[in-house]
Amino acid sequence: MKNIKRIIIISLILIICISINSLGYDSSSSYIWSSETDAITVNSSDTVKINSENENTNSLNLESGSAILIEQTTGQILYSHNIHEQLRPASVTKIMSILLIMEQIDNGTLSYSDAISCSETARSMGGSQIWLDPRETLTVDEMLKAICVVSANDCVVAMAEHIAGSEEAFVQMMNDKAKELGMNDTCFKNCHGIDEDGHITSAYDISLMSRELLQNHPDITKYTTIWMDSLRDGKSQLVNTNKLIKTYKGITGLKTGSTSLALYNLSASATRGDLSLIAVIMKAPSTKVRFAEAQKLLDYGFSKFSFKSFGNKNDIIQSVTVNKGVKNYTDAILESHAGALIEKGKESQISQSIEINNNIEAPIHKGDKLGQVTFSLDGNKIASVNLIASSDIDKINLFTMSKKIIYSWIDLLRS
């Protein structure tokens, strides 16, 4: 008898509470919570304003005609010198060719084990090559190794012909991709980089395609970090044209290029801890200068900046009240990875605030925006990431109300 009374009382309380909830009583309100943290978040659409040497002052006294340093994850420019000057890229061109090859691999159109033949056109390219023979085939894996390590012109043309049917069609793909990436200083005339009138790009555009390759196709570093290797059962020896592979801590690539007209170019990438940088050098007067100045840029970036991780995609930030739902709460989670580039020494000046939307009501669908987390430095907003619902929550109705009461009765009877 005592249990029955308890069941009746609990049922009445549940009915009253659910009725109040369905009438739209708002138990939540918009609020902001602030604290100090040692990291900030950013997503790709945010622009992080950093006090960097990016005003073309050439404060590092570089001899090269053009140079840029960017942070790989955010694309933030950390140093720039004549970054939009249109220059001849030489074999740095191959970064775009490699990018298109990796896209084909990652979307399943191409396999590392696919056999690639060599045409007479590819064979006759000249310049850096491994002397392909039309009677032989190499796998995509072997072709990539030759292109990334020794900048083989014959191999990149063979790959272009295999993918697009002709080098001309492949070059159109390159220019289409350049337009997609916002490479407004660029016009490709070939896929290898041998000097040709009108074949131009800029340090800024090289940094864009380098970032796209490294961010979205990181497996390429298995090739761009090779120092020495061989092909054809050891008969063809390969030594990387990027000498930083052997000497620079954390180096991940990427591509060299030089001709008598272009002079000496380099896109050099490196990662230390959570910080990844890309340094581009164009029109250096010598090969020694291009490597020294790329290293100078990378050293500058690693000494002055750090990348701090705040949280990963789907990390729970807090619980949020939901009105008119079968559940009263849902977890607010990060929509994307959270982390950001900051100047070293400014960690304690970063503030974080969380804002939750007013009157969150069911139904809630997984992924619905519930609010956002914002990060500020010296009082200025520098980044924000959406907070989204971790799960679906149905709106309460007569059926779900009855179901909830029945389960409560069962739980009470068991006790």
Side-chain angles (χ1 to χ4, degrees), residues 326-362:
V326 295
K327 295 180 181 179
N328 296 326
Y329 298 94
T330 187
D331 289 326
I333 61 176
L334 291 175
E335 184 178 37
S336 59
H337 174 74
L341 180 72
I342 60 174
E343 284 191 66
K344 288 184 176 179
K346 290 195 172 184
E347 291 85 351
S348 62
Q349 299 173 36
I350 305 301
S351 63
Q352 170 186 287
S353 65
I354 297 174
E355 185 172 1
I356 302 300
N357 298 341
N358 285 317
N359 192 25
I360 296 172
E361 295 183 354

Side-chain angles (χ1 to χ4, degrees), residues 61-296:
N61 298 316
L62 303 180
E63 294 181 53
S64 301
S66 177
I68 191 171
L69 175 69
I70 68 167
E71 196 279 319
Q72 181 180 308
T73 304
T74 63
Q76 173 66 34
I77 298 174
L78 307 181
Y79 189 96
S80 68
H81 171 53
N82 296 336
I83 62 172
H84 290 291
E85 184 177 355
Q86 292 179 307
L87 298 168
R88 297 173 184 265
S91 283
V92 177
T93 298
K94 294 187 179 77
I95 292 174
M96 180 59 82
S97 300
I98 295 166
L99 171 58
L100 295 182
I101 294 169
M102 292 304 295
E103 284 186 344
Q104 295 279 313
I105 292 171
D106 288 346
N107 68 25
T109 305
L110 193 65
S111 171
Y112 287 110
S113 59
D114 287 351
I116 309 298
S117 58
C118 171
S119 68
E120 285 293 342
T121 301
R123 179 190 188 185
S124 64
M125 286 313 301
S128 301
Q129 58 180 319
I130 62 166
W131 296 279
L132 283 177
D133 190 315
R135 294 169 296 181
E136 72 175 327
T137 61
L138 295 181
T139 64
V140 171
D141 172 74
E142 292 170 320
M143 289 285 191
L144 274 173
K145 190 179 295 184
I147 295 166
C148 294
V149 178
V150 296
S151 196
N153 293 328
D154 44 3
C155 291
V156 76
V157 172
M159 287 299 307
E161 292 173 338
H162 179 84
I163 290 171
S166 68
E167 183 187 359
E168 292 75 18
F170 188 81
V171 170
Q172 184 60 56
M173 291 173 62
M174 294 170 68
N175 283 313
D176 290 344
K177 188 65 179 182
K179 184 177 180 180
E180 177 188 325
L181 295 177
M183 296 170 58
N184 298 323
D185 305 323
T186 297
C187 178
F188 292 117
K189 295 289 188 177
N190 59 60
C191 66
H192 40 73
I194 293 175
D195 285 325
E196 186 172 342
D197 288 344
H199 184 80
I200 52 173
T201 189
S202 66
Y204 177 77
D205 284 3
I206 291 172
S207 75
L208 290 181
M209 63 179 178
S210 299
R211 179 179 179 236
E212 177 74 10
L213 176 60
L214 292 165
Q215 280 292 100
N216 294 321
H217 310 282
D219 285 348
I220 194 60
T221 59
K222 293 186 296 186
Y223 298 95
T224 57
T225 54
I226 294 171
W227 171 239
M228 294 182 68
D229 210 322
S230 63
L231 295 173
R232 298 168 173 139
D233 297 322
K235 296 177 182 177
S236 297
Q237 297 298 313
L238 309 176
V239 179
N240 206 311
T241 56
N242 182 3
K243 305 311 176 186
L244 295 181
I245 297 299
K246 190 176 182 181
T247 62
Y248 197 79
K249 178 184 175 183
I251 197 75
T252 57
L254 190 58
K255 191 71 195 71
T256 61
S258 63
T259 68
S260 59
L261 295 178
L263 300 184
Y264 297 89
N265 303 329
L266 171 66
S267 178
S269 57
T271 297
R272 293 180 183 176
D274 291 328
L275 181 60
S276 296
L277 302 175
I278 299 170
V280 178
I281 294 292
M282 295 193 76
K283 207 172 182 180
S286 69
T287 187
K288 181 179 179 180
V289 169
R290 73 171 164 184
F291 291 126
E293 295 196 341
Q295 180 171 329
K296 183 184 284 189

